[in-house]
Amino acid sequence: MKHLILIVMLAPFLEPSGAGKLVAAIQAATQTPSQPAAAPSSGAPADQENARKARALLDQAIQALGGQAFLNIHDKEEEGRTYSFHHGRPTSNGVLFWRFVEYPDKERIEVTKERDVAYIYAGDKGYEVTYKGPHPVEKQELEDYLRRRRFSLDTLLREWINAPGVALFYDGNALAGNLPAQQITLINAKNEAVSLYLDIATHLPIKKSYTWRDPVDKERNVEEEIYDNYRPVQGVMTAYGFTRYFNGDMQTQRFANSAHYNQGLDEAMFDPNSHYDPNKAAKKH
C-alpha cells in the first residue's frame, strides 16, 4: 500500500514517456501473486492518434493546393479589385490593386489606376509610398499587418506545421460558412492558436480563424479569413476570392483577375527609396 501511495503522489511529475511504467507499477502494486499482470495495451494514446489525423489532413490540404508546386513558390503576383468595409458597410466602389509577394517577408501592394500609391512591407518595416516619397506606416497599422502575416495561410502551411513545439488537433466536422468542413487547430510554442477549415470534398482551405487580445484595452478580438473561387495556376490551386472579418464584421474583400508565380520579381520594388516606377517596369514586359 505504501508503494501505491508513493506512485500516486509522483504521478503528476512523471514525463509522458513514463506513463506506461506508471500503469505497470500500479498494476503490480494492486495485484496479488496469484493474479497475472494484464497485457500492455498496443494501441497509441488517443491524443497521438488525434494529432496524426490532424497532420494527415494538413498534408492532404498541401497536396490539394499543388504539393511541391505550392511549397516551391518563391514569389507571387496578382491583380484585381479590392473593397474595404467599416462596420460591415462598404466604404467605396472598389479600388484596383496590384499585389507582389516574395516569401517569406516581403510584400508590395499598389493601388489606384495610376499605381501611384504603394504599401511596402519588408521584414518588420512598413512604408506608404506616394509622389511625396516614402513614409513609415502608422504603428498600429504595421502591428496589424505583421500579426496577419504571422497567422497567414502560407505561414501556417510552410512554417508552423514543421516548427518545434507546435501541437496539432483534429476538431472534427464543422461548417465554414455554408460548406461542410473538417476543422484543425494548430497551437505554437507561444501558445498562439489558429483554426483551419478544410473543404470535405476538395480538401482545400476555405476558412481560417484566430483570436488575439488587444494589449491596450485587453479585449479579445477574432479575425477570420475566407478563401474561395479556387483556380489552377501553374500547378497551384489559387484562391481568387478573399474575405477578411474582424469581430464578425466584414473588413476587406479582394477579387483577383489574374495571378502568376515565380516570375522573378525586381528587388527594387521592395525598397521604398529605390524610386521604382511600376508603369515603366510594366512597359519593359
Side-chain angles (χ1 to χ4, degrees):
M1 180 60 69
K2 291 182 179 178
H3 295 295
L4 178 58
I5 294 174
L6 178 61
I7 291 170
V8 173
M9 291 176 63
L10 290 176
F13 304 97
L14 292 177
E15 296 293 330
S17 60
K21 295 179 181 179
L22 174 62
V23 172
I26 292 175
Q27 290 174 339
T30 56
Q31 289 170 345
T32 63
S34 61
Q35 291 176 317
S41 173
S42 60
D47 56 346
Q48 293 184 12
E49 289 293 340
N50 181 278
R52 273 198 285 267
K53 183 166 186 177
R55 179 64 197 228
L57 288 172
L58 288 171
D59 289 340
Q60 198 172 38
I62 291 174
Q63 289 302 312
L65 286 165
Q68 284 303 312
F70 168 76
L71 295 175
N72 291 336
I73 294 174
H74 175 263
D75 56 68
K76 176 183 180 180
E77 55 186 273
E78 60 182 350
E79 168 268 326
R81 185 173 289 272
T82 184
Y83 300 81
S84 59
F85 298 80
H86 182 66
H87 295 305
R89 297 182 179 181
T91 59
S92 71
N93 293 324
V95 178
L96 293 174
F97 79 89
W98 289 259
R99 178 171 176 256
F100 305 87
V101 180
E102 185 176 277
Y103 298 103
D105 61 358
K106 295 180 181 178
E107 183 170 358
R108 178 188 179 98
I109 303 171
E110 301 165 0
V111 293
T112 79
K113 185 177 181 180
E114 293 76 21
R115 303 174 67 170
D116 55 357
V117 177
Y119 297 90
I120 298 174
Y121 300 93
D124 60 354
K125 306 294 184 182
Y127 304 88
E128 179 185 31
V129 182
T130 66
Y131 71 93
K132 295 181 180 180
H135 301 277
V137 300
E138 294 184 4
K139 180 184 177 187
Q140 186 61 57
E141 181 180 345
L142 179 61
E143 290 176 352
D144 290 343
Y145 172 84
L146 294 176
R147 182 182 60 255
R148 288 167 186 156
R149 186 175 70 190
R150 190 170 71 254
F151 289 107
S152 71
L153 181 62
D154 289 301
T155 301
L156 294 180
L157 297 180
R158 292 165 176 270
E159 299 178 17
W160 278 50
I161 63 173
N162 297 316
V166 170
L168 307 177
F169 300 92
Y170 172 62
D171 300 319
N173 293 337
L175 282 177
N178 295 322
L179 296 176
Q182 290 178 302
Q183 180 180 345
I184 298 167
T185 296
L186 302 87
I187 303 178
N188 66 12
K190 297 179 180 179
N191 206 31
E192 297 173 323
V194 183
S195 290
L196 191 60
Y197 299 77
L198 308 176
D199 187 289
I200 287 183
T202 66
H203 312 300
L204 291 168
I206 53 177
K207 178 182 174 181
K208 182 190 68 184
S209 175
Y210 62 93
T211 64
W212 57 279
R213 194 171 296 278
D214 191 290
V216 178
D217 61 21
K218 307 302 179 182
E219 290 294 323
R220 179 174 172 271
N221 297 300
V222 180
E223 293 202 46
E224 297 175 301
E225 294 179 358
I226 304 296
Y227 314 97
D228 58 17
N229 193 18
Y230 276 94
R231 303 179 192 178
V233 177
Q234 297 171 238
V236 178
M237 291 301 292
T238 304
Y240 271 54
F242 169 88
T243 306
R244 178 184 295 121
Y245 291 86
F246 181 77
N247 290 337
D249 290 333
M250 186 181 296
Q251 189 178 57
T252 303
Q253 267 193 320
R254 192 168 67 228
F255 300 98
N257 295 326
S258 64
H260 304 281
Y261 295 103
N262 298 338
Q263 300 298 295
L265 301 178
D266 187 343
E267 288 299 314
M269 69 170 54
F270 302 110
D271 181 354
N273 298 302
S274 68
H275 303 290
Y276 174 82
D277 187 335
N279 293 302
K280 290 183 179 179
K283 289 180 180 179
K284 291 181 181 179
H285 292 83

PDB file of all heavy atoms in Angstrom, residues 87-108:
ATOM      1  N   HIS A  87     -17.661  48.621 -40.201  1.00  0.00           N
ATOM      2  CA  HIS A  87     -18.841  48.060 -39.529  1.00  0.00           C
ATOM      3  C   HIS A  87     -19.711  47.281 -40.520  1.00  0.00           C
ATOM      4  O   HIS A  87     -20.937  47.332 -40.461  1.00  0.00           O
ATOM      5  CB  HIS A  87     -19.656  49.146 -38.852  1.00  0.00           C
ATOM      6  CG  HIS A  87     -18.940  49.823 -37.722  1.00  0.00           C
ATOM      7  ND1 HIS A  87     -18.407  49.128 -36.658  1.00  0.00           N
ATOM      8  CD2 HIS A  87     -18.659  51.136 -37.500  1.00  0.00           C
ATOM      9  CE1 HIS A  87     -17.830  49.975 -35.820  1.00  0.00           C
ATOM     10  NE2 HIS A  87     -17.956  51.198 -36.304  1.00  0.00           N
ATOM     11  N   GLY A  88     -19.050  46.575 -41.433  1.00  0.00           N
ATOM     12  CA  GLY A  88     -19.757  45.736 -42.382  1.00  0.00           C
ATOM     13  C   GLY A  88     -20.315  46.447 -43.602  1.00  0.00           C
ATOM     14  O   GLY A  88     -20.910  45.807 -44.462  1.00  0.00           O
ATOM     15  N   ARG A  89     -20.110  47.759 -43.704  1.00  0.00           N
ATOM     16  CA  ARG A  89     -20.636  48.514 -44.842  1.00  0.00           C
ATOM     17  C   ARG A  89     -19.493  48.967 -45.749  1.00  0.00           C
ATOM     18  O   ARG A  89     -18.448  49.406 -45.260  1.00  0.00           O
ATOM     19  CB  ARG A  89     -21.422  49.734 -44.344  1.00  0.00           C
ATOM     20  CG  ARG A  89     -22.649  49.365 -43.525  1.00  0.00           C
ATOM     21  CD  ARG A  89     -23.419  50.615 -43.106  1.00  0.00           C
ATOM     22  NE  ARG A  89     -24.623  50.278 -42.345  1.00  0.00           N
ATOM     23  CZ  ARG A  89     -25.482  51.169 -41.883  1.00  0.00           C
ATOM     24  NH1 ARG A  89     -25.261  52.478 -42.087  1.00  0.00           N
ATOM     25  NH2 ARG A  89     -26.541  50.775 -41.199  1.00  0.00           N
ATOM     26  N   PRO A  90     -19.662  48.872 -47.071  1.00  0.00           N
ATOM     27  CA  PRO A  90     -18.574  49.263 -47.986  1.00  0.00           C
ATOM     28  C   PRO A  90     -18.255  50.742 -47.890  1.00  0.00           C
ATOM     29  O   PRO A  90     -19.143  51.574 -47.711  1.00  0.00           O
ATOM     30  CB  PRO A  90     -19.137  48.891 -49.368  1.00  0.00           C
ATOM     31  CG  PRO A  90     -20.616  48.873 -49.190  1.00  0.00           C
ATOM     32  CD  PRO A  90     -20.869  48.405 -47.798  1.00  0.00           C
ATOM     33  N   THR A  91     -16.982  51.065 -47.987  1.00  0.00           N
ATOM     34  CA  THR A  91     -16.547  52.462 -47.917  1.00  0.00           C
ATOM     35  C   THR A  91     -16.230  53.038 -49.296  1.00  0.00           C
ATOM     36  O   THR A  91     -15.916  54.223 -49.408  1.00  0.00           O
ATOM     37  CB  THR A  91     -15.297  52.588 -47.034  1.00  0.00           C
ATOM     38  OG1 THR A  91     -14.245  51.762 -47.582  1.00  0.00           O
ATOM     39  CG2 THR A  91     -15.597  52.119 -45.612  1.00  0.00           C
ATOM     40  N   SER A  92     -16.291  52.208 -50.350  1.00  0.00           N
ATOM     41  CA  SER A  92     -16.020  52.684 -51.705  1.00  0.00           C
ATOM     42  C   SER A  92     -16.588  51.689 -52.704  1.00  0.00           C
ATOM     43  O   SER A  92     -17.135  50.645 -52.332  1.00  0.00           O
ATOM     44  CB  SER A  92     -14.511  52.847 -51.936  1.00  0.00           C
ATOM     45  OG  SER A  92     -13.884  51.584 -51.998  1.00  0.00           O
ATOM     46  N   ASN A  93     -16.439  52.032 -53.972  1.00  0.00           N
ATOM     47  CA  ASN A  93     -16.889  51.132 -55.039  1.00  0.00           C
ATOM     48  C   ASN A  93     -15.793  50.176 -55.480  1.00  0.00           C
ATOM     49  O   ASN A  93     -15.912  49.525 -56.509  1.00  0.00           O
ATOM     50  CB  ASN A  93     -17.368  51.949 -56.248  1.00  0.00           C
ATOM     51  CG  ASN A  93     -18.627  52.731 -55.942  1.00  0.00           C
ATOM     52  OD1 ASN A  93     -19.499  52.258 -55.206  1.00  0.00           O
ATOM     53  ND2 ASN A  93     -18.732  53.938 -56.503  1.00  0.00           N
ATOM     54  N   GLY A  94     -14.750  50.133 -54.719  1.00  0.00           N
ATOM     55  CA  GLY A  94     -13.654  49.228 -55.060  1.00  0.00           C
ATOM     56  C   GLY A  94     -12.476  49.969 -55.663  1.00  0.00           C
ATOM     57  O   GLY A  94     -12.631  50.999 -56.317  1.00  0.00           O
ATOM     58  N   VAL A  95     -11.282  49.433 -55.422  1.00  0.00           N
ATOM     59  CA  VAL A  95     -10.046  50.039 -55.905  1.00  0.00           C
ATOM     60  C   VAL A  95      -9.226  48.979 -56.613  1.00  0.00           C
ATOM     61  O   VAL A  95      -9.112  47.842 -56.136  1.00  0.00           O
ATOM     62  CB  VAL A  95      -9.238  50.623 -54.718  1.00  0.00           C
ATOM     63  CG1 VAL A  95      -7.922  51.211 -55.210  1.00  0.00           C
ATOM     64  CG2 VAL A  95     -10.045  51.671 -53.970  1.00  0.00           C
ATOM     65  N   LEU A  96      -8.641  49.345 -57.751  1.00  0.00           N
ATOM     66  CA  LEU A  96      -7.741  48.429 -58.447  1.00  0.00           C
ATOM     67  C   LEU A  96      -6.505  48.195 -57.594  1.00  0.00           C
ATOM     68  O   LEU A  96      -6.011  49.103 -56.929  1.00  0.00           O
ATOM     69  CB  LEU A  96      -7.334  49.006 -59.804  1.00  0.00           C
ATOM     70  CG  LEU A  96      -8.442  49.142 -60.856  1.00  0.00           C
ATOM     71  CD1 LEU A  96      -7.897  49.859 -62.093  1.00  0.00           C
ATOM     72  CD2 LEU A  96      -9.000  47.777 -61.229  1.00  0.00           C
ATOM     73  N   PHE A  97      -5.999  46.965 -57.616  1.00  0.00           N
ATOM     74  CA  PHE A  97      -4.785  46.680 -56.857  1.00  0.00           C
ATOM     75  C   PHE A  97      -3.860  45.766 -57.648  1.00  0.00           C
ATOM     76  O   PHE A  97      -4.292  44.965 -58.482  1.00  0.00           O
ATOM     77  CB  PHE A  97      -5.120  46.056 -55.499  1.00  0.00           C
ATOM     78  CG  PHE A  97      -5.458  44.582 -55.575  1.00  0.00           C
ATOM     79  CD1 PHE A  97      -4.473  43.603 -55.478  1.00  0.00           C
ATOM     80  CD2 PHE A  97      -6.777  44.162 -55.745  1.00  0.00           C
ATOM     81  CE1 PHE A  97      -4.787  42.251 -55.546  1.00  0.00           C
ATOM     82  CE2 PHE A  97      -7.103  42.814 -55.813  1.00  0.00           C
ATOM     83  CZ  PHE A  97      -6.100  41.858 -55.716  1.00  0.00           C
ATOM     84  N   TRP A  98      -2.582  45.903 -57.375  1.00  0.00           N
ATOM     85  CA  TRP A  98      -1.539  45.004 -57.850  1.00  0.00           C
ATOM     86  C   TRP A  98      -0.775  44.567 -56.619  1.00  0.00           C
ATOM     87  O   TRP A  98      -0.306  45.406 -55.830  1.00  0.00           O
ATOM     88  CB  TRP A  98      -0.608  45.708 -58.827  1.00  0.00           C
ATOM     89  CG  TRP A  98      -1.219  46.009 -60.158  1.00  0.00           C
ATOM     90  CD1 TRP A  98      -1.060  45.318 -61.329  1.00  0.00           C
ATOM     91  CD2 TRP A  98      -2.089  47.108 -60.476  1.00  0.00           C
ATOM     92  NE1 TRP A  98      -1.782  45.903 -62.335  1.00  0.00           N
ATOM     93  CE2 TRP A  98      -2.422  47.006 -61.840  1.00  0.00           C
ATOM     94  CE3 TRP A  98      -2.629  48.160 -59.732  1.00  0.00           C
ATOM     95  CZ2 TRP A  98      -3.256  47.909 -62.485  1.00  0.00           C
ATOM     96  CZ3 TRP A  98      -3.469  49.067 -60.353  1.00  0.00           C
ATOM     97  CH2 TRP A  98      -3.775  48.930 -61.722  1.00  0.00           C
ATOM     98  N   ARG A  99      -0.630  43.282 -56.434  1.00  0.00           N
ATOM     99  CA  ARG A  99      -0.007  42.762 -55.213  1.00  0.00           C
ATOM    100  C   ARG A  99       1.159  41.852 -55.585  1.00  0.00           C
ATOM    101  O   ARG A  99       1.038  40.969 -56.445  1.00  0.00           O
ATOM    102  CB  ARG A  99      -1.037  41.981 -54.392  1.00  0.00           C
ATOM    103  CG  ARG A  99      -0.519  41.352 -53.111  1.00  0.00           C
ATOM    104  CD  ARG A  99      -1.672  40.803 -52.284  1.00  0.00           C
ATOM    105  NE  ARG A  99      -1.212  40.114 -51.090  1.00  0.00           N
ATOM    106  CZ  ARG A  99      -1.181  38.786 -50.964  1.00  0.00           C
ATOM    107  NH1 ARG A  99      -1.611  38.012 -51.963  1.00  0.00           N
ATOM    108  NH2 ARG A  99      -0.742  38.238 -49.841  1.00  0.00           N
ATOM    109  N   PHE A 100       2.293  42.082 -54.935  1.00  0.00           N
ATOM    110  CA  PHE A 100       3.507  41.310 -55.192  1.00  0.00           C
ATOM    111  C   PHE A 100       4.039  40.794 -53.855  1.00  0.00           C
ATOM    112  O   PHE A 100       4.210  41.558 -52.917  1.00  0.00           O
ATOM    113  CB  PHE A 100       4.566  42.178 -55.867  1.00  0.00           C
ATOM    114  CG  PHE A 100       4.094  42.842 -57.131  1.00  0.00           C
ATOM    115  CD1 PHE A 100       3.447  44.076 -57.068  1.00  0.00           C
ATOM    116  CD2 PHE A 100       4.275  42.242 -58.365  1.00  0.00           C
ATOM    117  CE1 PHE A 100       2.995  44.695 -58.223  1.00  0.00           C
ATOM    118  CE2 PHE A 100       3.831  42.860 -59.528  1.00  0.00           C
ATOM    119  CZ  PHE A 100       3.183  44.086 -59.461  1.00  0.00           C
ATOM    120  N   VAL A 101       4.307  39.502 -53.796  1.00  0.00           N
ATOM    121  CA  VAL A 101       4.793  38.879 -52.563  1.00  0.00           C
ATOM    122  C   VAL A 101       6.054  38.089 -52.878  1.00  0.00           C
ATOM    123  O   VAL A 101       6.106  37.338 -53.849  1.00  0.00           O
ATOM    124  CB  VAL A 101       3.745  37.926 -51.954  1.00  0.00           C
ATOM    125  CG1 VAL A 101       4.279  37.290 -50.674  1.00  0.00           C
ATOM    126  CG2 VAL A 101       2.445  38.666 -51.684  1.00  0.00           C
ATOM    127  N   GLU A 102       7.071  38.291 -52.057  1.00  0.00           N
ATOM    128  CA  GLU A 102       8.279  37.465 -52.129  1.00  0.00           C
ATOM    129  C   GLU A 102       8.470  36.846 -50.753  1.00  0.00           C
ATOM    130  O   GLU A 102       8.668  37.556 -49.761  1.00  0.00           O
ATOM    131  CB  GLU A 102       9.502  38.296 -52.514  1.00  0.00           C
ATOM    132  CG  GLU A 102      10.758  37.448 -52.708  1.00  0.00           C
ATOM    133  CD  GLU A 102      11.936  38.274 -53.192  1.00  0.00           C
ATOM    134  OE1 GLU A 102      12.019  38.516 -54.409  1.00  0.00           O
ATOM    135  OE2 GLU A 102      12.747  38.707 -52.347  1.00  0.00           O
ATOM    136  N   TYR A 103       8.347  35.540 -50.678  1.00  0.00           N
ATOM    137  CA  TYR A 103       8.389  34.845 -49.396  1.00  0.00           C
ATOM    138  C   TYR A 103       9.814  34.808 -48.848  1.00  0.00           C
ATOM    139  O   TYR A 103      10.773  34.742 -49.621  1.00  0.00           O
ATOM    140  CB  TYR A 103       7.815  33.434 -49.559  1.00  0.00           C
ATOM    141  CG  TYR A 103       6.375  33.426 -49.985  1.00  0.00           C
ATOM    142  CD1 TYR A 103       6.009  33.157 -51.303  1.00  0.00           C
ATOM    143  CD2 TYR A 103       5.365  33.725 -49.079  1.00  0.00           C
ATOM    144  CE1 TYR A 103       4.677  33.177 -51.700  1.00  0.00           C
ATOM    145  CE2 TYR A 103       4.038  33.739 -49.462  1.00  0.00           C
ATOM    146  CZ  TYR A 103       3.706  33.471 -50.774  1.00  0.00           C
ATOM    147  OH  TYR A 103       2.383  33.495 -51.161  1.00  0.00           O
ATOM    148  N   PRO A 104       9.955  34.946 -47.517  1.00  0.00           N
ATOM    149  CA  PRO A 104       8.869  34.856 -46.534  1.00  0.00           C
ATOM    150  C   PRO A 104       8.327  36.190 -46.019  1.00  0.00           C
ATOM    151  O   PRO A 104       7.303  36.195 -45.341  1.00  0.00           O
ATOM    152  CB  PRO A 104       9.548  34.108 -45.385  1.00  0.00           C
ATOM    153  CG  PRO A 104      10.966  34.598 -45.424  1.00  0.00           C
ATOM    154  CD  PRO A 104      11.291  34.797 -46.886  1.00  0.00           C
ATOM    155  N   ASP A 105       8.984  37.330 -46.305  1.00  0.00           N
ATOM    156  CA  ASP A 105       8.608  38.540 -45.557  1.00  0.00           C
ATOM    157  C   ASP A 105       8.643  39.838 -46.366  1.00  0.00           C
ATOM    158  O   ASP A 105       8.913  40.903 -45.821  1.00  0.00           O
ATOM    159  CB  ASP A 105       9.515  38.690 -44.325  1.00  0.00           C
ATOM    160  CG  ASP A 105      10.990  38.834 -44.690  1.00  0.00           C
ATOM    161  OD1 ASP A 105      11.321  38.789 -45.889  1.00  0.00           O
ATOM    162  OD2 ASP A 105      11.820  38.983 -43.760  1.00  0.00           O
ATOM    163  N   LYS A 106       8.360  39.753 -47.665  1.00  0.00           N
ATOM    164  CA  LYS A 106       8.313  40.968 -48.477  1.00  0.00           C
ATOM    165  C   LYS A 106       6.979  41.046 -49.219  1.00  0.00           C
ATOM    166  O   LYS A 106       6.520  40.039 -49.776  1.00  0.00           O
ATOM    167  CB  LYS A 106       9.459  41.008 -49.487  1.00  0.00           C
ATOM    168  CG  LYS A 106      10.837  41.097 -48.862  1.00  0.00           C
ATOM    169  CD  LYS A 106      11.918  41.124 -49.931  1.00  0.00           C
ATOM    170  CE  LYS A 106      13.307  41.182 -49.297  1.00  0.00           C
ATOM    171  NZ  LYS A 106      14.367  41.155 -50.330  1.00  0.00           N
ATOM    172  N   GLU A 107       6.386  42.229 -49.230  1.00  0.00           N
ATOM    173  CA  GLU A 107       5.116  42.412 -49.933  1.00  0.00           C
ATOM    174  C   GLU A 107       4.989  43.864 -50.399  1.00  0.00           C
ATOM    175  O   GLU A 107       5.396  44.790 -49.699  1.00  0.00           O
ATOM    176  CB  GLU A 107       3.932  42.050 -49.038  1.00  0.00           C
ATOM    177  CG  GLU A 107       2.580  42.162 -49.737  1.00  0.00           C
ATOM    178  CD  GLU A 107       1.445  41.571 -48.931  1.00  0.00           C
ATOM    179  OE1 GLU A 107       1.710  41.026 -47.836  1.00  0.00           O
ATOM    180  OE2 GLU A 107       0.287  41.651 -49.385  1.00  0.00           O
ATOM    181  N   ARG A 108       4.453  44.022 -51.578  1.00  0.00           N
ATOM    182  CA  ARG A 108       4.182  45.352 -52.131  1.00  0.00           C
ATOM    183  C   ARG A 108       2.762  45.342 -52.684  1.00  0.00           C
ATOM    184  O   ARG A 108       2.396  44.442 -53.445  1.00  0.00           O
ATOM    185  CB  ARG A 108       5.170  45.691 -53.244  1.00  0.00           C
ATOM    186  CG  ARG A 108       4.920  47.063 -53.907  1.00  0.00           C
ATOM    187  CD  ARG A 108       5.799  47.251 -55.130  1.00  0.00           C
ATOM    188  NE  ARG A 108       5.550  48.534 -55.779  1.00  0.00           N
ATOM    189  CZ  ARG A 108       6.271  49.634 -55.608  1.00  0.00           C
ATOM    190  NH1 ARG A 108       7.317  49.601 -54.790  1.00  0.00           N
ATOM    191  NH2 ARG A 108       5.977  50.755 -56.243  1.00  0.00           N
TER     192      ARG A 108
END
